[in-house]
Amino acid sequence: MEYLALLKDIFLGGNRYMYIVNGLAFSIGTTMLAALIGVLLGIFIALMELSHFYPLKHKKGWEKFNPISSLAFAYVDLIRGTPAVVQLMILANLIFVGALRDTPILVIAGLSFGINSGAYVAEIIRAGIEGLDKGQMEAARALGMPYGIAMKEAVKKILPALVSEFITLLKETSIVGFIGGVDLLRSANIITSQTYRGVEPLLAVGLIYLILTAVFTKFMRGIEKGLKVSD
């Protein structure tokens, strides 16, 4: 009973639970914005990577030079080769300054994580498309099937990897405290600073992350199952 009273004081005293509520809203909002940007950007970059544009194919030594594909791969290598926190700090402290300094932190964070996620999503989509059986694609075209239906197999291969990427994205938002954002993890730190109890707030936040990832995973598995049933 004493411990229950302690928990009540930690989270309900001074309405400290609102830090977690607001942090949860911030984390979900950032993740949703980043996921949207990441998917749209990832599709665009993947299409660039798979493009067949060879403007110098008639010049010896430059036959396989594809500037569009090269630019896309350079973006992917740059983003995947640098820490997300560095990208976040650059965007917040070098890009969103001056006239842009009043941009909401959620927007800055969502854009930063979206740009980061786009590189990984692009590789997931590219690998899924390149992994398609060429015989299946040719048969689908021969039968006059729409290209979207032929690509359904690629979506099945891509979906599990995308689920993992979005779960990673959700947990990655925990570094937004570096630019002043109050996400779930930051909210736990605030409660700890006020109550001098470090374990309970972290356990509460960890449980929330676990619930969120479980719900998201179940939702995506439902979609994946629906795709299989519709075959």
Side-chain angles (χ1 to χ4, degrees):
M1 294 299 292
E2 291 184 7
Y3 190 66
L4 289 177
L6 175 62
L7 290 177
K8 182 178 179 180
D9 180 63
I10 291 173
F11 295 106
L12 299 183
N15 291 327
R16 280 186 281 269
Y17 71 93
M18 287 304 300
Y19 289 119
I20 293 180
V21 172
N22 294 331
L24 175 61
F26 183 91
S27 292
I28 292 177
T30 302
T31 302
M32 291 178 64
L33 177 59
L36 177 62
I37 294 172
V39 169
L40 295 177
L41 184 59
I43 293 172
F44 180 69
I45 296 297
L47 293 176
M48 288 177 64
E49 290 178 324
L50 296 168
S51 66
H52 297 281
F53 178 63
Y54 304 99
L56 303 176
K57 59 184 177 180
H58 299 299
K59 291 189 177 182
K60 188 176 181 180
W62 293 87
E63 299 91 343
K64 296 183 178 181
F65 175 66
N66 184 336
I68 295 177
S69 179
S70 298
L71 182 62
F73 278 108
Y75 161 79
V76 171
D77 290 340
L78 175 64
I79 296 299
R80 297 205 304 175
T82 53
V85 66
V86 172
Q87 299 163 17
L88 179 64
M89 295 295 285
I90 289 175
L91 207 65
N93 297 310
L94 295 181
I95 306 300
F96 285 91
V97 294
L100 300 176
R101 67 182 305 163
D102 293 328
T103 303
I105 293 178
L106 188 149
V107 174
I108 298 174
L111 183 59
S112 177
F113 295 133
I115 291 173
N116 179 274
S117 181
Y120 293 91
V121 172
E123 287 299 280
I124 291 170
I125 294 174
R126 180 182 66 82
I129 294 175
E130 289 184 338
L132 282 175
D133 183 82
K134 292 184 178 180
Q136 287 181 327
M137 290 295 293
E138 291 174 359
R141 290 173 182 171
L143 293 172
M145 292 173 62
Y147 187 71
I149 296 178
M151 291 298 290
K152 187 177 179 181
E153 190 65 31
V155 174
K156 291 182 189 177
K157 294 180 179 180
I158 290 169
L159 201 56
L162 279 180
V163 171
S164 297
E165 168 59 22
F166 292 145
I167 289 175
T168 300
L169 186 59
L170 173 63
K171 293 184 288 186
E172 197 174 62
T173 60
S174 61
I175 65 173
V176 78
F178 281 96
I179 61 170
V182 182
D183 66 312
L184 273 172
L185 186 60
R186 178 62 177 161
S187 69
N189 292 335
I190 293 174
I191 294 175
T192 296
S193 68
Q194 294 182 1
T195 63
Y196 302 101
R197 300 290 299 191
V199 175
E200 290 82 3
L202 284 176
L203 285 177
V205 167
L207 180 61
I208 292 173
Y209 273 120
L210 181 61
I211 293 172
L212 288 175
T213 54
V215 170
F216 182 73
T217 301
K218 185 176 179 61
F219 174 72
M220 295 303 288
R221 283 177 179 169
I223 295 178
E224 187 178 358
K225 185 178 180 181
L227 290 172
K228 290 181 180 178
V229 171
S230 63
D231 284 344

